[in-house]
Amino acid sequence: GESVGLHLPTLSVQEGDNSIINCAYSNSASDYFIWYKQESGKGPQFIIDIRSNMDKRQGQRVTVLLNKTVKHLSLQIAATQPGDSAVYFCAENNRDDKIIFGKGTRLHILP
Amino acid sequence: KAGVTQTPRYLIKTRGQQVTLSCSPISGHRSVSWYQQTPGQGLQFLFEYFSETQRNKGNFPGRFSGRQFSNSRSEMNVSTLELGDSALYLCASSLGSSPLHFGNGTRLTVT
């Protein structure tokens, strides 16, 4: 079915450490994946995306990895900062052009 | 460039009433999507409009409807409100196959 889920609902990370947020997707026909960050009181904000013909993409302090064999997506945030505290959503664009979101992972930064 | 604007920011309605939410997309974006966000269900796709036509629809009852105007602005309407319709309603616009750009949402409370 069309479902995108998260392995962990809450992730606590020490400031300065790297964060890894995981996501599993079920639709093998999905060809485009996106990570969003949502801060309190705001709408989701685009972080980084990746197409199914790639397995890795890097941005500024963020890296997305795609493993199509096991239908797994991850977001790595380097040198986590207090401003990274938010809920992170993975989303997939299936072949029907619907963007389906996962339930989200809350990233908590420890001082 | 101005972002996606949603009005009103907050809304309180009683059961049985109807409500209309408004969304102004980023200038030049012709696709507008609507999502319902609740703590239990996460972000759920309502519908997508492109060039005044509904291009895609989620699994919501007919009480939820929308439309798009020639200037790409969009409205969504919920009739016969139920307590379970209390949620954050998010609008997002996009240009072609670009990622969704979200507004900060309308918080609807049904009492």
Side-chain angles (χ1 to χ4, degrees), chain A residues 15-32:
Chain A
E15 183 179 347
D17 286 353
N18 296 336
S19 302
I20 299 176
I21 302 171
N22 295 305
C23 175
Y25 65 94
S26 62
N27 191 342
S28 56
S30 294
D31 59 0
Y32 177 54

Side-chain angles (χ1 to χ4, degrees), chain A residues 40-79:
Chain A
S40 181
K42 296 184 179 181
Q45 177 186 6
F46 169 80
I47 302 172
I48 191 167
D49 57 2
I50 188 167
R51 299 210 173 264
S52 58
N53 61 351
M54 303 171 69
D55 52 21
K56 180 179 180 179
R57 191 162 188 224
Q58 287 184 290
Q60 188 175 20
R61 277 202 310 121
V62 294
T63 301
V64 56
L65 298 177
L66 174 63
N67 185 331
K68 294 180 287 294
T69 303
V70 295
K71 291 185 282 189
H72 182 269
L73 194 67
S74 70
L75 176 70
Q76 300 178 4
I77 305 173

Side-chain angles (χ1 to χ4, degrees), chain A residues 88-103:
Chain A
Y88 290 81
F89 294 94
C90 64
E92 62 179 308
N93 186 346
N94 61 22
R95 293 298 173 94
D96 292 332
D97 269 341
K98 286 182 187 178
I99 306 285
I100 307 298
F101 283 78
K103 290 276 192 270

Side-chain angles (χ1 to χ4, degrees), chain B:
Chain B
K1 188 186 264 190
V4 176
T5 303
Q6 292 188 246
T7 57
R9 192 81 171 88
Y10 301 94
L11 209 46
I12 300 175
K13 292 284 189 178
T14 56
R15 277 178 296 175
Q17 287 187 312
Q18 67 93 27
V19 67
T20 299
L21 311 182
S22 180
C23 172
S24 293
I26 292 172
S27 178
H29 286 195
R30 294 170 63 190
S31 172
V32 174
S33 299
W34 288 89
Y35 286 81
Q36 181 196 66
Q37 186 174 29
T38 58
Q41 297 299 318
L43 278 149
Q44 292 192 291
F45 174 75
L46 280 156
F47 27 66
E48 180 200 3
Y49 286 86
F50 180 83
S51 292
E52 302 178 65
T53 302
Q54 188 179 86
R55 186 157 71 172
N56 233 325
K57 191 177 188 304
N59 298 321
F60 278 81
R63 300 186 297 107
F64 292 81
S65 63
R67 59 178 176 168
Q68 186 179 34
F69 303 95
S70 58
N71 61 358
S72 294
R73 193 177 68 84
S74 177
E75 289 181 347
M76 68 162 281
N77 185 79
V78 188
S79 62
T80 320
L81 283 165
E82 300 176 0
L83 294 178
D85 296 333
S86 294
L88 180 67
Y89 289 88
L90 290 159
C91 167
S93 71
S94 63
L95 178 65
S97 59
S98 70
L100 298 175
H101 295 263
F102 284 88
N104 288 329
T106 293
R107 172 75 62 188
L108 172 65
T109 302
V110 182
T111 62

